[in-house]
Amino acid sequence: QVQLVESGGGLVEAGGSLRLTCVASGRSFKNYAMVWYRQAPGKEREFVAGVSWSGGRTYYADSVRGRSTVSSANDKSTLYLQLNSLQPEDTAVYYCAADPYESGTPEYWGQGTQVTVSP
């Protein structure tokens, strides 16, 4: 059974930082890009950042580029997202997902972790 479990969310003041962690299990993720999405209240889920399926490249949404870092360990079975200079508009549920060959359509999803940024 494939499981993706996120942790590290919480309440932080504007300008603060958080580090999110995702632990994936149940299969090999060798051929999967490991990615972060987020969904703010009343908005659609959006891509945030990812590690390519080869593991050799990272990529970001414009909204977080320059103030976040995505990384992985253990053959991409552990995924991290360091978020810095957080703003209230970063408030969302953050999801970890496994995307086969970076197709843009993740196959597996975690349950999400809430990030709330106060002004």
Side-chain angles (χ1 to χ4, degrees):
Q1 180 182 359
V2 174
Q3 285 189 313
L4 283 69
V5 181
E6 303 95 335
S7 61
L11 174 63
V12 63
E13 292 183 350
S17 299
L18 283 174
R19 189 193 198 202
L20 308 183
T21 300
C22 171
V23 177
S25 61
R27 66 159 297 145
S28 167
F29 295 93
K30 176 181 179 182
N31 298 324
Y32 287 76
M34 300 301 290
V35 297
W36 289 98
Y37 279 72
R38 69 185 181 185
Q39 187 167 22
K43 295 187 177 181
E44 294 189 353
R45 192 174 297 186
E46 64 176 2
F47 168 77
V48 176
V51 176
S52 66
W53 70 268
S54 68
R57 179 174 59 88
T58 56
Y59 48 106
Y60 300 88
D62 288 344
S63 58
V64 301
R65 185 178 292 114
R67 59 187 185 93
S68 66
T69 303
V70 63
S71 60
S72 66
N74 304 320
D75 292 328
K76 293 186 282 150
S77 63
T78 305
L79 185 69
Y80 304 100
L81 181 65
Q82 177 71 40
L83 296 166
N84 300 320
S85 301
L86 284 162
Q87 299 301 315
E89 53 265 35
D90 294 313
T91 294
V93 177
Y94 285 70
Y95 297 91
C96 171
D99 179 0
Y101 294 106
E102 204 174 317
S103 68
T105 305
E107 182 175 353
Y108 304 106
W109 293 88
Q111 84 289 348
T113 187
Q114 176 71 46
V115 171
T116 302
V117 184
S118 62

